[in-house]
């Protein structure tokens, strides 16, 4: 019933159509996400190609210095970047955007002939696996520990865990990584760090077998531990304060007065409502983990997307850098989008406000 | 003459008052003294203990001893001396980044809050968008392409990436302060916009601004160490990041004896951060006008 009047008024009216698009929560969020990716893509294009003394000019100089004739060098660079240098700058830019929209990021500079998109497709799963698994562990553990801290507040357990969480939250992931290597690998010799290089051992085939899973877990375990230690502190603290404020809500008091069992209050009344605000943090943490993966994967020589970006920037391999930064941005922006939608779906109050008609 | 004596006396009283307020909080005083000590050592330490120029073969990877308080590195050079000599870049970048990012964040955040309306909406939409971008990867790419060689341009780049989050916080602070009674009273008394901003708003936001600035500073330290570790910003000479990288490349992974070469710069970074953070926590007592009048 409610839909009919809006249909009639928006009939062939461009302004009303625009209004409807901006009024639509989902559509508005998608447009925003695409806009964000476009901004990063444009910044990369600008610094890699359009600025005076830019990366492509330097690449051509490098090739010329290596004995390639200037014309050949120019053609090679153009082929790598998949751009026609004879076109005016704005057409190059449009070509570049078009290529990226089709998933074509050009060819790698150092390992000739390999497509950047293929390289990324090969390494991306490892980062998704390690970051995703660590997020899952951190999120679950953080919620449980945070709730414990809130329930037992002002006991020694709470003080211990709160201080621990605050300390872990303050120390950067890279330092935790270094300490893990130093203590677990070098001093106590619990894990053989040098043998854990790469995402899996040479000779192991990716297949659905126990041996394969044991092997990839063996390679990822310390990295996973470092991710968890780096990010669990903030989850614990946020969950603690969220639980404490939920415990003060009237509906919890009423539930207690009604004589509901404690476990039911914990799961259905407190737990559910206290975890809600944490979902908005999920997206932020995904972004931070992606940033952290550059240092941590390099530290542990884990062949994921962060390691590859670090290597590419060390090698000045601009096509790969460009491709990876766009993929990382897209991943984080869409994670944000999904988290937003998830939050709206989980929390009816947001859904009503967000639907905003 | 009398006036200037009065002014000096007043400044002296203010300073004493500030110290009294600072010393109320033991952690804060410790943080303040520690920060001052680190900055002093980083800038004047190298004059007293200049960097060693030659290798000492007999001291390679030496442990902690009377001669080497923090051990010696892969060239047999004293770690403590290297830490003292490697602090200047770190401290400079931290302070510069904090200053620039705070300046931009406060200016744009309060502008947005004061103007309001469509400008505010668009600015905050852009800031929110910027916050979803993974900034460290972008920093890695930009730092590689722009080939940063000196601490100043590096600070500018980090500040450019970091100010938006600050501006959003400043905006919400200004918006909430604008609705308080004392600001409304000042507006009704027609005390003038400039007066309201500088003698009513800013003193109430000061502790918040300085605390955010210190947050940006610690962030800048980590980003700088990260980029040095990745080999993207090879500053000449030694700084704490270069020390960590060198220790990693010289086989700390295989040699427990070399442990001190990596623990020393890490300890310096953690200590600097700890000093800044505990200093920040006590600043509320110094800047908050309500707490200040109680002395």
């Amino acid at each position: 019933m409610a839909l009919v009047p809006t249909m009639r008024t928006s009939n062939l009216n461009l302004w009303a159509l625009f209004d409807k698009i901006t009024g639509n929560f989902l559509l508005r969020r998608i447009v925003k996400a695409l806009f964000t990716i476009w901004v990063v893509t444009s910044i990369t294009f600008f610094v890699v190609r359009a600025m005076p003394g830019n990366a492509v000019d330097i690449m051509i100089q490098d090739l010329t210095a290596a004995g390639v004739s200037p014309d050949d060098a120019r053609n090679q660079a153009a082929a790598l970047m998949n751009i026609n240098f004879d076109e005016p700058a704005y057409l190059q830019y449009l070509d570049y955007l078009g290529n990226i929209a089709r998933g074509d990021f050009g060819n790698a500079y150092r390992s000739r002939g390999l497509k950047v998109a293929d390289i990324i497709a090969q390494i991306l799963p490892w980062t998704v696996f390690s970051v995703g698994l660590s997020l899952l562990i951190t999120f679950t553990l953080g919620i449980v520990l945070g709730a414990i801290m809130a329930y037992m507040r002002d006991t020694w357990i709470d003080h211990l865990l709160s201080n621990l969480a605050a300390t872990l939250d303050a120390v950067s992931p890279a330092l935790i990584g270094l300490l893990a290597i130093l203590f677990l690998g070098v001093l106590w010799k619990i894990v053989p760090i040098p043998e854990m290089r790469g995402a899996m051992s040479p000779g192991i085939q990716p297949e659905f077998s126990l041996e394969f899973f044991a092997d990839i877990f063996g390679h990822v375990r310390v990295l996973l531990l470092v991710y968890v230690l780096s990010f669990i502190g903030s989850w614990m603290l946020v969950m603690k304060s969220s639980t404490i404020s939920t415990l003060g809500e009237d509906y919890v008091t009423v539930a207690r007065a009604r004589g509901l069992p404690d476990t039911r209050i914990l799961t259905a009344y407190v737990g559910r409502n206290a975890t809600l605000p944490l979902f908005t943090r999920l997206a932020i943490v995904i972004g931070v983990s992606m940033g952290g993966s550059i240092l941590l994967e390099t530290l542990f020589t884990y062949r994921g997307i962060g390691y590859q970006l670090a290597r590419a920037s060390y090698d000045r391999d601009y096509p790969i850098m460009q491709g990876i930064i766009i993929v990382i941005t897209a991943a984080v922006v869409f994670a944000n989008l999904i988290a937003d939608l998830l939050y709206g779906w989980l929390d009816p109050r947001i859904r009503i406000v967000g639907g905003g008609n | 003459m009398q006036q200037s004596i009065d002014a000096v006396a007043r400044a002296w009283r203010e300073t004493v008052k500030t110290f009294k307020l600072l010393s109320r909080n033991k952690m804060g005083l410790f943080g303040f003294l520690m920060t001052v000590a680190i900055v002093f050592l980083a800038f004047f330490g190298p004059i007293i203990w200049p960097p060693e120029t030659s290798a000492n073969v007999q001291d390679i990877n030496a442990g902690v001893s009377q001669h080497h308080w923090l051990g010696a590195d892969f060239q047999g050079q004293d770690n403590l001396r290297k830490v003292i000599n490697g602090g200047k870049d770190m401290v400079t970048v931290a302070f510069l980044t904090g200053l620039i990012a705070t300046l931009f964040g406060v200016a744009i955040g309060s502008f947005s809050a004061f103007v309001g309306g469509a400008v505010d909406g668009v600015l905050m939409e852009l800031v929110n968008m910027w916050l979803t971008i993974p900034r460290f990867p972008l920093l890695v790419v930009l730092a590689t392409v722009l080939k940063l060689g000196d601490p100043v341009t590096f600070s500018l780049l980090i500040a450019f990436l970091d100010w938006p989050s600050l501006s959003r916080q400043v905006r919400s602070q200004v918006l909430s302060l604008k609705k308080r009674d004392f600001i409304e009273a000042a507006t009704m008394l027609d005390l003038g916009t400039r007066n309201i901003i500088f003698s009513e708003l800013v003193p109430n936001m000061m502790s918040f601004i300085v605390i955010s600035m210190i947050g940006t500073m610690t962030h800048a330290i980590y980003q700088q160490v990260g980029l040095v570790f990745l080999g993207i910003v090879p500053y000449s000479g030694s700084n704490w990041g270069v020390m960590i990288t060198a220790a990693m490349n010289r086989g700390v992974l295989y040699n427990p004896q070399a442990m001190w070469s990596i623990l020393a710069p890490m300890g310096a970074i953690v200590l600097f951060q700890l000093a800044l953070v505990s200093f920040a926590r006590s600043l509320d007592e110094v800047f908050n006008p309500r707490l200040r009048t109680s002395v």
Side-chain angles (χ1 to χ4, degrees), chain B residues 39-57:
Chain B
V39 172
F40 192 79
L41 261 185
F43 280 92
F44 298 105
I47 300 170
I48 308 165
W49 301 282
E52 289 167 278
T53 44
S54 58
N56 306 315
V57 185

Side-chain angles (χ1 to χ4, degrees), chain A residues 40-59 77 81 83 85 92 96 316-323 325-326, chain B residues 141-142 144-146:
Chain A
V40 171
T41 314
S42 301
I43 291 178
T44 356
F45 177 81
F46 185 72
V47 293
V48 171
R49 178 69 200 107
M51 249 172 38
N54 63 61
V56 172
D57 289 346
I58 290 163
M59 199 153 90
M81 304 294 287
I83 298 175
F85 289 160
Q92 288 184 26
Y96 165 81
R316 317 247 171 229
D317 195 331
Y318 300 109
I320 292 189
M321 282 164 62
Q322 200 174 276
I325 186 79
I326 292 166
Chain B
V141 171
L142 291 181
T144 308
V145 176
L146 300 176

Side-chain angles (χ1 to χ4, degrees), chain A residues 90-300:
Chain A
Y90 77 94
L91 273 182
Q92 288 184 26
Y93 175 63
L94 289 180
D95 274 358
Y96 165 81
L97 286 185
N99 285 337
I100 282 165
R102 280 195 301 273
D104 181 356
F105 298 110
N107 296 307
Y109 176 34
R110 298 284 160 182
S111 39
R112 301 284 162 80
L114 273 178
K115 282 186 116 30
V116 171
D118 291 343
I119 295 178
I120 293 177
Q122 212 179 11
I123 54 170
L124 186 61
W126 295 114
T127 300
V128 171
F129 164 68
S130 56
V131 169
L133 191 59
S134 75
L135 263 177
L136 205 67
I137 297 172
T138 321
F139 190 67
T140 328
L141 214 59
I143 283 176
V144 173
L145 289 175
I148 290 176
M149 278 151 68
Y151 264 86
M152 310 187 109
R153 65 178 172 282
D154 292 330
T155 61
W156 65 270
I157 297 180
D158 171 38
H159 291 306
L160 183 75
L161 287 178
S162 293
N163 283 323
L164 185 72
T167 314
L168 284 177
D169 191 35
V171 182
S172 96
L175 286 190
I176 295 182
L178 277 171
L179 286 176
I181 289 184
L182 211 56
F183 284 100
L184 296 180
V186 182
L187 288 181
W188 301 334
K189 296 192 170 35
I190 296 173
V191 282
I193 300 284
E195 284 168 31
M196 291 170 57
R197 292 182 174 176
M200 53 184 178
S201 306
I204 294 277
Q205 290 300 315
E207 56 189 6
F208 203 79
S209 71
L210 194 64
E211 191 194 8
F212 173 66
F213 284 112
D215 185 64
I216 61 172
F217 180 73
H219 280 265
V220 84
R221 59 193 159 156
V222 180
L223 181 64
L224 212 55
L225 178 75
V226 174
Y227 273 128
V228 170
L229 286 179
S230 310
F231 296 113
I232 200 164
S234 64
W235 287 118
M236 283 161 69
L237 294 175
V238 173
M239 181 64 187
K240 180 189 167 188
S241 67
S242 173
T243 311
I244 287 177
S245 66
T246 313
L247 281 171
E249 295 278 354
D250 289 342
Y251 56 78
V252 176
T253 318
V254 171
R256 283 222 176 97
R258 277 161 63 205
L260 290 181
D262 278 349
T263 47
R264 172 138 179 87
I265 295 175
L266 176 63
T267 51
Y269 289 77
V270 179
R272 273 187 160 185
N273 288 297
T275 32
L276 272 180
L278 272 75
F279 280 92
T280 46
R281 283 187 55 81
L282 202 56
I284 301 169
V285 175
I286 292 174
V288 181
S289 310
M290 277 293 194
S293 78
I294 300 176
L295 285 172
L296 291 183
E297 287 181 0
T298 310
L299 208 53
F300 290 95

Side-chain angles (χ1 to χ4, degrees), chain B residues 82-160:
Chain B
K82 282 193 103 171
V83 166
I84 292 172
N85 280 288
K88 210 169 119 190
D89 282 349
M90 293 282 153
V91 174
T92 313
V93 167
F95 277 95
L96 268 180
T97 310
L99 212 63
I100 300 168
T102 310
L103 223 60
F104 270 91
V106 170
I108 291 172
S110 40
F111 172 76
S112 189
F114 265 99
V115 174
V119 177
D120 181 41
V122 170
L123 266 176
M124 284 307 120
E125 203 63 72
L126 285 176
V127 164
N128 283 339
M129 183 208 81
W130 189 254
L131 291 178
T132 55
I133 295 173
R135 274 163 291 160
F136 189 66
L138 191 61
L139 177 69
V140 167
V141 171
L142 291 181
T144 308
V145 176
L146 300 176
K147 291 214 171 77
L148 301 173
D150 64 302
V152 180
T153 44
F154 186 65
S155 309
L156 271 172
L157 183 62
I158 303 184
F160 164 70

Side-chain angles (χ1 to χ4, degrees), chain B:
Chain B
M1 189 63 196
Q2 185 60 37
Q3 259 183 342
S4 59
I5 291 175
D6 276 354
V8 170
R10 204 177 325 124
W12 174 247
R13 273 203 305 276
E14 280 294 304
T15 318
V16 170
K17 201 166 148 189
T18 307
F19 267 99
K20 255 189 196 155
L21 285 160
L22 253 181
S23 58
R24 260 197 208 167
N25 183 330
K26 290 283 172 293
M27 269 314 268
L29 189 67
F30 159 77
F32 172 71
L33 294 177
M34 203 67 204
T35 311
V36 171
I38 290 173
V39 172
F40 192 79
L41 261 185
F43 280 92
F44 298 105
I47 300 170
I48 308 165
W49 301 282
E52 289 167 278
T53 44
S54 58
N56 306 315
V57 185
Q58 74 278 10
D59 281 347
I60 284 178
N61 289 336
V64 175
S65 68
Q66 227 177 334
H67 303 289
H68 302 293
W69 288 7
L70 293 176
D73 71 351
F74 63 95
Q75 289 178 311
Q77 296 181 346
D78 187 48
N79 279 328
L80 180 61
R81 193 180 271 224
K82 282 193 103 171
V83 166
I84 292 172
N85 280 288
K88 210 169 119 190
D89 282 349
M90 293 282 153
V91 174
T92 313
V93 167
F95 277 95
L96 268 180
T97 310
L99 212 63
I100 300 168
T102 310
L103 223 60
F104 270 91
V106 170
I108 291 172
S110 40
F111 172 76
S112 189
F114 265 99
V115 174
V119 177
D120 181 41
V122 170
L123 266 176
M124 284 307 120
E125 203 63 72
L126 285 176
V127 164
N128 283 339
M129 183 208 81
W130 189 254
L131 291 178
T132 55
I133 295 173
R135 274 163 291 160
F136 189 66
L138 191 61
L139 177 69
V140 167
V141 171
L142 291 181
T144 308
V145 176
L146 300 176
K147 291 214 171 77
L148 301 173
D150 64 302
V152 180
T153 44
F154 186 65
S155 309
L156 271 172
L157 183 62
I158 303 184
F160 164 70
L161 293 173
D162 256 6
W163 69 262
S165 57
L166 205 71
S167 75
R168 194 169 74 162
Q169 294 168 347
V170 169
R171 173 181 170 270
S172 59
Q173 278 276 317
V174 173
L175 282 183
S176 97
L177 280 175
K178 254 170 83 179
K179 293 213 182 77
R180 303 276 173 86
D181 291 342
F182 63 94
I183 300 282
E184 284 191 352
T187 320
M188 265 185 258
L189 287 170
D190 201 16
L191 293 180
T193 316
R194 209 184 63 172
N195 192 29
I196 293 175
I197 291 178
F198 286 105
S199 54
E200 306 289 340
L201 266 179
V202 171
N204 277 287
M205 287 201 326
M206 206 55 201
S207 65
F208 169 79
I209 290 172
V210 177
I211 290 167
S212 325
M213 181 175 151
I214 286 176
T216 315
M217 283 167 65
T218 56
H219 197 208
I221 298 170
Y222 282 138
Q223 297 199 312
Q224 189 188 7
V225 172
L227 288 195
V228 173
F229 179 76
L230 295 176
I232 295 168
V233 278
Y235 294 146
S236 52
S238 72
N239 69 41
W240 300 336
V242 174
M243 285 177 75
I244 292 178
T245 317
M248 282 298 283
N249 292 343
R250 293 295 174 151
V252 174
L253 276 186
Y254 308 97
N255 187 0
Q257 277 187 311
M259 184 182 76
W260 283 101
S261 324
I262 206 163
L263 280 180
M266 273 169 69
I269 292 167
V270 171
L271 202 64
F272 188 31
Q273 199 210 6
L274 189 73
L276 285 173
V277 170
S278 39
F279 180 34
R281 284 201 184 140
S282 73
L283 281 175
D284 198 34
E285 304 209 7
V286 177
F287 286 117
N288 195 328
R290 271 177 234 173
L291 295 174
R292 214 182 154 85
T293 47
S294 66
V295 169

